């Protein structure tokens, strides 16, 4: 009887935490839409504290960090999502967003890898394909092929 009561209390508190995490996620989304990225970041962090496995909050946190110019934090978040998510669509979106940041930072080789990974996960992603081509062209401009020097014949 006592164990049953403890089990019910435990399940109820877990459900309450999940509801609170969901409320914080919704609040973060509202703040994000209002372009209050610092407050949205705090709401997403609160949701993650309450539900550490919450991928939506983690993804949205990385988005809010990116909007605030916290590129390294955002990349770290996207990398974690890409490595740990069970959902191919979310993994692909994380790789794509990581590629966008890396392209902006002129880390072209890394951005190309991220776009390729996004396309492996979601071959229909037209934006990833377009950005991959842009990054490849930019890399080609940055490192043009070297012309072979002709040797004088003797």
């Amino acid at each position: 009887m006592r164990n049953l009561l403890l089990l019910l209390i435990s399940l109820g508190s877990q459900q309450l935490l999940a509801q609170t995490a969901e409320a914080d996620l919704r609040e973060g989304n509202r703040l994000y839409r209002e372009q209050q990225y610092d407050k949205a970041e705090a709401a997403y962090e609160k949701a993650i504290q309450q539900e550490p496995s919450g991928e939506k909050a983690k993804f949205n946190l990385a988005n809010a960090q990116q909007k605030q110019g916290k590129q390294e934090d955002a990349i770290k978040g996207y990398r974690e999502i890409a490595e740990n998510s069970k959902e191919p669509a979310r993994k692909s979106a994380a790789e794509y967003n990581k590629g966008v940041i890396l392209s902006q930072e002129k880390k072209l080789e890394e951005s190309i890898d991220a776009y390729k990974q996004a396309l492996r996960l979601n071959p229909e992603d037209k934006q990833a394909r377009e950005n991959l081509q842009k990054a490849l062209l930019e890399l080609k401009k940055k490192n043009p092929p070297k012309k072979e020097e002709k040797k004088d014949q003797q």
Side-chain angles (χ1 to χ4, degrees):
M1 180 78 163
R2 183 175 171 188
N3 289 339
L4 180 60
L5 183 60
L6 288 174
L7 178 64
L8 289 175
I9 291 171
S10 174
L11 290 174
S13 64
Q14 287 177 345
Q15 188 174 13
L16 182 61
L17 281 176
Q19 289 173 351
T20 306
E22 186 65 30
D24 288 328
L25 177 63
R26 283 193 307 271
E27 176 68 7
N29 291 345
R30 181 186 67 76
L31 293 164
Y32 186 94
R33 282 190 303 275
E34 293 174 0
Q35 299 179 358
Q36 297 180 41
Y37 304 118
D38 56 335
K39 292 178 182 176
E41 180 181 11
Y44 294 137
E45 286 174 344
K46 190 174 175 187
I48 292 167
Q49 285 175 344
Q50 294 166 13
E51 189 179 342
S53 63
E55 290 182 0
K56 288 180 186 177
K58 289 179 181 179
F59 188 84
N60 292 357
L61 172 64
N63 287 342
Q65 290 168 331
Q66 181 180 2
K67 289 287 191 178
Q68 294 177 82
K70 298 178 179 180
Q71 309 302 23
E72 292 305 313
D73 291 336
I75 287 174
K76 181 180 172 189
Y78 292 136
R79 188 172 288 129
E80 180 184 334
I81 293 161
E83 290 172 1
N84 299 321
S85 179
K86 304 274 188 269
E87 297 180 37
R90 186 165 287 131
K91 289 175 103 154
S92 176
E95 288 289 352
Y96 174 83
N97 287 356
K98 187 171 68 171
V100 169
I101 294 172
L102 293 166
S103 288
Q104 291 169 347
E105 293 181 344
K106 303 296 182 199
K107 296 178 181 176
L108 297 174
E109 292 89 356
E110 292 177 66
S111 73
I112 289 166
D113 289 341
Y115 291 134
K116 285 181 179 179
Q117 187 60 27
L119 286 167
R120 282 186 201 102
L121 294 162
N122 180 7
E124 304 301 316
D125 189 338
K126 292 179 183 178
Q127 286 183 311
R129 190 171 313 285
E130 289 172 9
N131 284 0
L132 172 60
Q133 291 189 352
K134 288 177 188 176
L136 287 167
L137 283 172
E138 197 169 333
L139 182 63
K140 190 175 181 179
K141 288 177 187 176
K142 184 179 171 184
N143 302 326
K146 296 179 181 177
K147 295 180 183 177
E148 292 184 29
E149 294 180 29
K150 293 183 180 179
K151 294 184 179 180
D152 292 344
Q153 292 183 353
Q154 294 182 354

